């Protein structure tokens, strides 16, 4: 019988990943009748892409630094819904829910190309609230899951929606569904590091450790900030240990401890250590 490893932390430090720069499918929403406005939106998105790209490739850059830089961009962009949408994603990454929600509603009120993305992001705000306030009522999460399904029923080509629902499905231990939706997101967004990250969690929980390790490498190749993601790191460490790469496993845990020292007080961390030690003992027999 295949042994599985369960990692289900309520600490999501990867909020921003679901709000990556819009892909081709979502950029089609930005076609405006006003050519000048369309050009301005493109310039704003290009600027965001540059700033956000630096952030995910250079972990030394903090979200607070990104926030300051984004708030200081040329005022001509601050009439656009894309400005408020991206600003909201930074606040979400900082777990600062009130300004995140406020800026998403500002984006929706402007009613330009980011309307659907902003409405989708509000669902993630709902999820963040449930997690931050440690809501344990499963029915609340299932209600939110139904809302995501309604979004996908209306727009089955939304890579961001598939990324987001997979996060929720992993929390609900619906790992097979999370895998299905993550794979769909990758089909729509080739560099969906969020989906590879979700696959690491899903495969690890289902005991598909080789598949999890493959997803680890693909996720990290795209986004270097995943070192800060507790769930990703714990699942990665467990999967590497399960396939016999103990040195890699311990290096991952040491890196996590270096970046998140308080993690050693969590049950998830100690459960991961127990799992790794068990794997080592089994091979020694």
């Amino acid at each position: 019988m295949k042994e599985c490893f369960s990692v289900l932390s309520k600490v999501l430090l990867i909020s921003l990943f679901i709000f990556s720069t819009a892909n081709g499918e979502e950029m089609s929403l930005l076609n405006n009748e006003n050519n000048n406005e369309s050009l301005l939106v493109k310039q704003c998105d290009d600027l965001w892409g540059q700033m956000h790209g630096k952030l995910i490739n250079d972990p030394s850059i903090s979200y607070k630094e990104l926030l300051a830089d984004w708030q200081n961009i040329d005022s001509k962009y601050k009439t656009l819904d894309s400005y408020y949408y991206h600003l909201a994603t930074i606040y979400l990454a900082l777990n600062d829910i009130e300004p995140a929600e406020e800026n998403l509603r500002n984006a929706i009120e402007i009613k330009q190309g980011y309307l659907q993305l902003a409405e989708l992001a509000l669902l993630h705000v709902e999820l963040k609230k449930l997690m931050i306030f440690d809501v344990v009522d499963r029915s609340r999460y299932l209600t939110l899951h139904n809302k995501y399904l309604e979004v996908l029923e209306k727009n089955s080509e939304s890579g961001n929606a598939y990324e987001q629902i997979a996060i929720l499905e992993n929390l609900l231990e619906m790992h097979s569904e999370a895998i299905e939706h993550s794979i769909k997101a990758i089909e729509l967004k080739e560099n969906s590091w969020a989906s590879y990250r979700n696959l690491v969690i899903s495969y690890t929980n289902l005991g598909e450790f080789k598949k999890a390790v493959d997803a680890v490498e693909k996720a990290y190749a795209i986004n270097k900030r995943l070192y800060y993601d507790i769930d990703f790191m714990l699942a990665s460490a467990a999967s590497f240990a399960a396939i016999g790469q103990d040195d890699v496993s311990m290096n991952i845990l040491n890196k996590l401890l270096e970046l998140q020292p308080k993690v050693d007080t969590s049950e998830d961390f100690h459960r991961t250590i127990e799992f790794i030690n068990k794997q080592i003992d089994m091979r020694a027999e």
Side-chain angles (χ1 to χ4, degrees):
M1 183 176 183
K2 184 182 296 182
E3 182 175 4
C4 299
F5 173 78
S6 175
V7 54
L8 191 64
S9 169
K10 283 292 186 75
V11 185
L12 278 186
L13 301 178
I14 40 66
S15 316
L16 193 59
F17 80 68
I18 60 161
F19 302 111
S20 54
T21 303
N23 64 320
E25 157 261 317
E26 286 146 338
M27 286 295 289
S28 66
L29 299 173
L30 308 181
N31 291 331
N32 246 296
E33 293 181 1
N34 185 324
N35 289 333
N36 289 333
E37 188 175 82
S38 295
L39 178 60
L40 202 60
V41 170
K42 184 180 184 305
Q43 291 172 344
C44 184
D45 283 332
D46 287 346
L47 187 59
W48 169 258
Q50 294 169 18
M51 290 184 178
H52 183 244
K54 289 179 180 178
L55 179 86
I56 65 173
N57 286 301
D58 185 356
S60 69
I61 300 174
S62 70
Y63 284 116
K64 288 185 177 180
E65 289 175 292
L66 178 61
L67 176 63
D69 289 342
W70 189 246
Q71 289 175 320
N72 287 327
I73 65 172
D74 196 306
S75 60
K76 67 182 179 182
Y77 300 122
K78 295 182 180 180
T79 61
L80 303 173
D81 62 348
S82 55
Y83 168 76
Y84 291 105
Y85 172 80
H86 294 311
L87 182 59
T89 68
I90 303 173
Y91 280 119
L92 271 172
L94 292 167
N95 287 328
D96 201 345
I97 299 300
E98 187 174 336
E101 190 168 8
E102 179 184 351
N103 280 287
L104 286 173
R105 296 199 183 282
N106 287 339
I108 290 170
E109 187 175 337
I110 294 173
K111 295 181 180 178
Q112 293 172 331
Y114 271 85
L115 176 61
Q116 291 183 35
L117 289 173
E119 289 176 340
L120 177 62
L122 282 177
L123 292 183
H124 189 63
V125 170
E126 287 189 44
L127 176 58
K128 292 285 287 186
K129 286 180 178 178
L130 291 175
M131 296 173 68
I132 288 173
F133 296 109
D134 202 23
V135 175
V136 295
D137 184 352
R138 183 179 175 85
S139 66
R140 298 276 298 277
Y141 292 89
L142 289 172
T143 297
L144 183 56
H145 186 260
N146 287 334
K147 291 181 181 179
Y148 275 116
L149 292 176
E150 289 173 5
V151 169
L152 287 170
E153 186 175 343
K154 295 176 183 177
N155 182 8
S156 62
E157 300 299 308
S158 174
N160 280 27
Y162 286 111
E163 288 175 345
Q164 290 187 39
I165 196 172
I167 299 173
L168 179 54
E169 286 166 341
N170 275 332
L171 286 171
L172 289 167
E173 299 185 340
M174 299 167 62
H175 302 301
S176 295
E177 291 87 345
I179 289 170
E180 179 183 347
H181 288 138
S182 296
I183 290 173
K184 181 63 177 178
I186 292 167
E187 291 174 1
L188 294 166
K189 300 173 65 176
E190 183 179 358
N191 288 325
S192 177
W193 56 269
S195 296
Y196 288 118
R197 177 266 177 199
N198 288 336
L199 286 173
V200 173
I201 306 298
S202 303
Y203 284 133
T204 301
N205 277 276
L206 293 178
E208 300 285 347
F209 299 116
K210 289 184 179 179
K211 291 182 179 179
V213 166
D214 182 58
V216 169
E217 294 168 351
K218 291 177 179 177
Y220 183 70
I222 303 169
N223 187 348
K224 302 298 187 291
R225 293 194 71 85
L226 284 169
Y227 272 145
Y228 288 87
D229 180 340
I230 293 175
D231 286 354
F232 172 81
M233 294 289 275
L234 292 180
S236 299
S239 286
F240 273 105
I243 66 170
Q245 296 191 32
D246 301 326
D247 290 345
V248 176
S249 177
M250 295 311 299
N251 286 340
I252 290 171
L253 289 182
N254 288 332
K255 185 66 176 180
L256 179 59
L257 281 170
E258 175 189 334
L259 298 173
Q260 306 278 2
K262 293 182 180 179
V263 73
D264 68 352
T265 64
S266 75
E267 291 182 9
D268 289 326
F269 179 80
H270 290 286
R271 194 151 44 85
T272 304
I273 294 292
E274 290 176 7
F275 177 85
I276 291 172
N277 287 337
K278 185 177 180 180
Q279 298 302 306
I280 295 172
D281 292 342
M282 288 171 58
R283 285 192 295 274
E285 291 176 356

